[in-house]
Amino acid sequence: MATLVLLSGCAAVPTGPSVDEVLNGDLAAAERDTAIEFVRTTLASLPDAVNTTDLGTRIIAFCTEGQNNWKVQEGFRLRCTVYGARYVAWSGSFPRGKSAITEAFETECVALSGETLPTAAPKGELGTPGGGYGCATDATVGITWASSTIGLSTSSLALRCDGPDARCVAGPDASTLDSGLESFDWLSVQAASREYYEH
């Protein structure tokens, strides 16, 4: 009887494919490839701004394990996403570069309502969110403004893929981006993503 009481309090552990099977295997391979192409096409279509330098685009695929316990119920066991970021740098006046990028974006994309752009130069480790845009591929592209010295290329915003839950798909590695940023004052990270698997 005691055994039955103990067992009745235990929830079944959800089973399903591993992170490796979804990131690297045949499972959801077509969906993964479609998401990669969507992110690649979206970021490649973004406009160039005058007097800025495109340092490259990184794309990764990663999976997040959901929390499902007595405190938190996220409703999924595994969710996988393709995420990409384009790095655009410049030197000199922050407002000048921000205006050039914003004006270029407004020729191709539509600013999302309710978004506010920063008026001062960004500070801090993670930069300053700069609003979102709806672009031609039906993607939402978010911009983060940052000082080029904060190392966004090796932070969580910049696509780490050295762990078991993520893999690099395309673009320069973090050290290449870091060295490329050294000669610039400011950075715009322009990012898009597409979820391709949930279980």
Side-chain angles (χ1 to χ4, degrees), residues 14-39:
T15 60
S18 68
V19 169
D20 185 64
E21 288 174 306
V22 182
L23 279 180
N24 304 306
D26 292 335
L27 181 67
E31 293 86 350
R32 183 177 64 237
D33 290 345
T34 299
I36 289 169
E37 185 57 29
F38 174 82
V39 170

Side-chain angles (χ1 to χ4, degrees), residues 45-69:
S45 69
L46 296 180
D48 295 321
V50 295
N51 298 318
T52 63
T53 300
D54 187 338
L55 296 176
T57 296
R58 289 191 83 194
I59 299 174
I60 69 164
F62 69 92
C63 293
T64 303
E65 295 188 65
Q67 292 187 64
N68 295 285
N69 52 50

Side-chain angles (χ1 to χ4, degrees), residues 133-147:
Y133 291 83
C135 296
T137 59
D138 293 327
T140 296
V141 176
I143 296 181
T144 299
W145 310 102
S147 161

Side-chain angles (χ1 to χ4, degrees), residues 116-182:
T116 56
L117 297 176
T119 55
K123 296 179 181 178
E125 293 182 359
L126 294 180
T128 302
Y133 291 83
C135 296
T137 59
D138 293 327
T140 296
V141 176
I143 296 181
T144 299
W145 310 102
S147 161
S148 70
T149 61
I150 68 174
L152 266 182
S153 63
T154 53
S155 78
S156 59
L157 285 180
L159 326 177
R160 291 187 66 94
C161 48
D162 52 2
D165 58 351
R167 72 177 177 91
C168 290
V169 173
D173 60 27
S175 61
T176 300
L177 279 170
D178 280 340
S179 62
L181 283 171
E182 288 177 358

Side-chain angles (χ1 to χ4, degrees), residues 39-103:
V39 170
R40 187 193 316 273
T41 300
T42 296
L43 296 178
S45 69
L46 296 180
D48 295 321
V50 295
N51 298 318
T52 63
T53 300
D54 187 338
L55 296 176
T57 296
R58 289 191 83 194
I59 299 174
I60 69 164
F62 69 92
C63 293
T64 303
E65 295 188 65
Q67 292 187 64
N68 295 285
N69 52 50
W70 67 275
K71 289 181 74 173
V72 179
Q73 283 292 324
E74 292 188 302
F76 65 93
R77 189 190 68 81
L78 193 63
R79 177 180 288 162
C80 299
T81 304
V82 172
Y83 182 89
R86 177 187 190 220
Y87 297 85
V88 176
W90 73 98
S91 289
S93 163
F94 172 75
R96 179 196 58 77
K98 186 196 78 167
S99 294
I101 291 169
T102 300
E103 288 169 12

